[in-house]
Amino acid sequence: MAAAKRKRDGPAARAKKRAKTAPAAPEEAAKPGVEEYSVPPPVSQGKWKNKERVLIFSSRGINFRTRHLMQDLRTLMPHSKADTKMDRKDQLFVINEVCEMKNCNKCIFFEAKKKQDLYMWISNTPQGPSAKFLVQNVHTLAELKMTGNCLRGSRPLLSFDPVFDKEPHYALLKELFIQVFSTPQYHPKSQPFVDHVFTFTIADDRIWFRNYQIIEEDASLVEIGPRFVLNLIKIFQGSFGGPTLYENPHYQSPNMHRRLVRLSVAAKFREKQQVKEVQNIKKKGSKVLIGEDPTEVVFETPAEEKPVEIQLVKPESKPIVKDKKKLRKIQRKKQKKLFRTEASA
């Protein structure tokens, strides 16, 4: 009986369950006034064609300020990628292979030396060219605390000094900066807004980098940060090496600068020592003899000559008395004797 019930009830129960789970699509479509929810299209429907990717990383031995600067550049450049720190023993040509593995065609590499000097390499990998800079006067976003602000991932404008178009090596650097720092259009991580400006200004044979916010009301600029100064050293034909295209004649290495500072301090110390020696010689030297003035003796009056007395008798020794009362008694006795002798005479 149980087996018959199972056969009788099994297909019917399955059919009922299937009927419950079946969707009623035609009935819902027939109902008027039902709202349809759809995903909105993206803001920029263009195609991402300029696939520039920048690898930003550093060598070992950087300090906290360099690490924060590197992180600030990564946040400002949505088309950038990060990588682990490179060992000091590795040669710079290895960076081309790292960029190839990361699928990057541009690279910003921070190289630290002596835990106090910072160098920046900007390169177009793997063909080149590449430029090496000494980074000075670094101020990060967290350090400055400026009032300016911009949207994360927005595309920046690039503003260049007019000197960049006058000299050939600056024109080459301008093209390199445009390809590295400009965010490609329709990049997946970028926003289709332009609300800040990267400015590259040349002053004192150095490139000064600033980041400003564009205020919509009056188009005025408010600084955001970070800020740093690039002192150009060399421009190479290849990526991280090769023939030298340009060498900065005004560049002075940090080691030479520190050496000149030490020499100036030593020169000041030596000058002080020489002044002290001259003063000591003047003190010890013989005084200059001045001739006698004949008018000095005009107002001098000769003193009276005293007769010379020669004592033939040894003077009496004074008694050494410790007690003052006894000394007074002795003096009184002597005075009495003198009075007696004078009276008898």
Side-chain angles (χ1 to χ4, degrees):
M1 293 295 289
K5 284 181 181 178
R6 282 177 190 170
K7 286 180 182 178
R8 208 177 299 163
D9 298 335
R14 286 175 191 169
K16 287 178 183 177
K17 287 180 181 177
R18 285 175 188 169
K20 284 180 182 178
T21 56
E27 292 179 1
E28 290 180 359
K31 289 181 181 179
V34 176
E35 296 181 359
E36 294 183 358
Y37 294 98
S38 60
V39 178
V43 180
S44 59
Q45 297 180 351
K47 190 177 180 182
W48 178 32
K49 295 180 181 179
N50 181 20
K51 299 191 177 182
E52 295 280 351
R53 298 180 183 88
V54 183
L55 181 65
I56 302 176
F57 71 118
S58 68
S59 66
R60 296 194 181 277
I62 60 171
N63 54 8
F64 69 97
R65 187 173 277 109
T66 308
R67 188 175 67 252
H68 283 270
L69 173 64
M70 196 166 54
Q71 192 62 35
D72 293 343
L73 290 178
R74 286 172 183 167
T75 54
L76 290 173
M77 299 163 64
H79 62 294
S80 64
K81 287 189 176 183
D83 195 23
T84 57
K85 295 179 182 178
M86 197 180 76
D87 197 1
R88 293 180 184 176
K89 296 179 182 178
D90 296 338
Q91 294 184 355
L92 295 177
F93 294 103
V94 182
I95 300 175
N96 296 325
E97 299 177 4
V98 177
C99 291
E100 188 177 355
M101 287 189 292
K102 289 282 184 178
N103 197 16
C104 296
N105 49 9
K106 298 290 184 294
C107 180
I108 297 177
F109 177 67
F110 291 94
E111 185 181 7
K113 290 185 178 180
K114 295 187 176 180
K115 295 185 178 180
Q116 54 184 345
D117 302 330
L118 179 64
Y119 298 93
M120 177 194 284
W121 286 84
I122 299 179
S123 174
N124 177 29
T125 58
Q127 290 86 13
S130 60
K132 186 180 181 182
F133 302 92
L134 174 68
V135 186
Q136 297 172 326
N137 301 335
V138 178
H139 298 282
T140 59
L141 276 169
E143 184 183 357
L144 288 175
K145 296 181 180 178
M146 294 288 186
T147 56
N149 196 4
C150 65
L151 186 67
R152 186 187 179 97
S154 61
R155 300 179 64 218
L157 293 174
L158 298 184
S159 173
F160 290 93
D161 196 275
V163 186
F164 276 96
D165 298 326
K166 295 180 181 178
E167 298 186 16
H169 63 279
Y170 282 135
L172 177 61
L173 290 178
K174 178 182 177 180
E175 184 63 30
L176 195 61
F177 289 153
I178 289 172
Q179 294 184 15
V180 171
F181 288 97
S182 62
T183 304
Q185 195 175 11
Y186 306 124
H187 191 276
K189 293 183 180 179
S190 67
Q191 299 289 339
F193 307 106
V194 178
D195 57 354
H196 63 288
V197 189
F198 290 161
T199 62
F200 297 90
T201 312
I202 296 174
D204 194 20
D205 298 319
R206 290 170 174 81
I207 301 171
W208 301 67
F209 176 86
R210 295 290 184 272
N211 180 23
Y212 295 99
Q213 176 194 359
I214 305 172
I215 299 176
E216 296 180 2
E217 287 79 11
D218 53 353
S220 60
L221 300 178
V222 180
E223 189 172 356
I224 305 170
R227 55 164 68 169
F228 53 88
V229 180
L230 299 176
N231 191 359
L232 178 63
I233 303 173
K234 283 184 181 181
I235 300 176
F236 299 97
Q237 186 177 352
S239 177
F240 296 97
T244 303
L245 298 179
Y246 176 78
E247 186 174 0
N248 187 8
H250 305 287
Y251 171 71
Q252 188 182 48
S253 66
N255 293 332
M256 182 61 68
H257 177 70
R258 285 191 287 267
R259 180 174 175 272
L260 292 176
V261 170
R262 287 196 301 269
L263 289 175
S264 64
V265 172
K268 287 181 181 179
F269 179 74
R270 247 185 271 114
E271 187 178 354
K272 288 181 180 178
Q273 291 295 111
Q274 288 176 359
V275 170
K276 286 182 180 179
E277 289 176 1
V278 170
Q279 290 176 353
N280 292 333
I281 290 169
K282 285 182 179 179
K283 288 178 182 178
K284 293 178 181 179
S286 58
K287 297 179 181 179
V288 180
L289 297 175
I290 302 172
E292 293 183 359
D293 190 3
T295 58
E296 286 181 358
V297 201
V298 173
F299 299 101
E300 285 185 2
T301 53
E304 295 180 357
E305 294 183 0
K306 294 181 180 180
V308 180
E309 295 180 359
I310 300 170
Q311 292 182 356
L312 301 174
V313 182
K314 184 181 177 181
E316 296 180 359
S317 59
K318 294 180 179 180
I320 300 169
V321 182
K322 292 183 181 181
D323 194 357
K324 290 183 178 180
K325 290 182 179 180
K326 290 182 179 180
L327 181 61
R328 286 173 187 169
K329 288 179 182 180
I330 293 166
Q331 287 177 357
R332 285 173 189 168
K333 287 179 181 179
K334 286 183 178 180
Q335 287 176 1
K336 286 178 183 179
K337 286 180 181 179
L338 288 171
F339 285 132
R340 287 173 188 171
T341 52
E342 287 176 0
S344 61

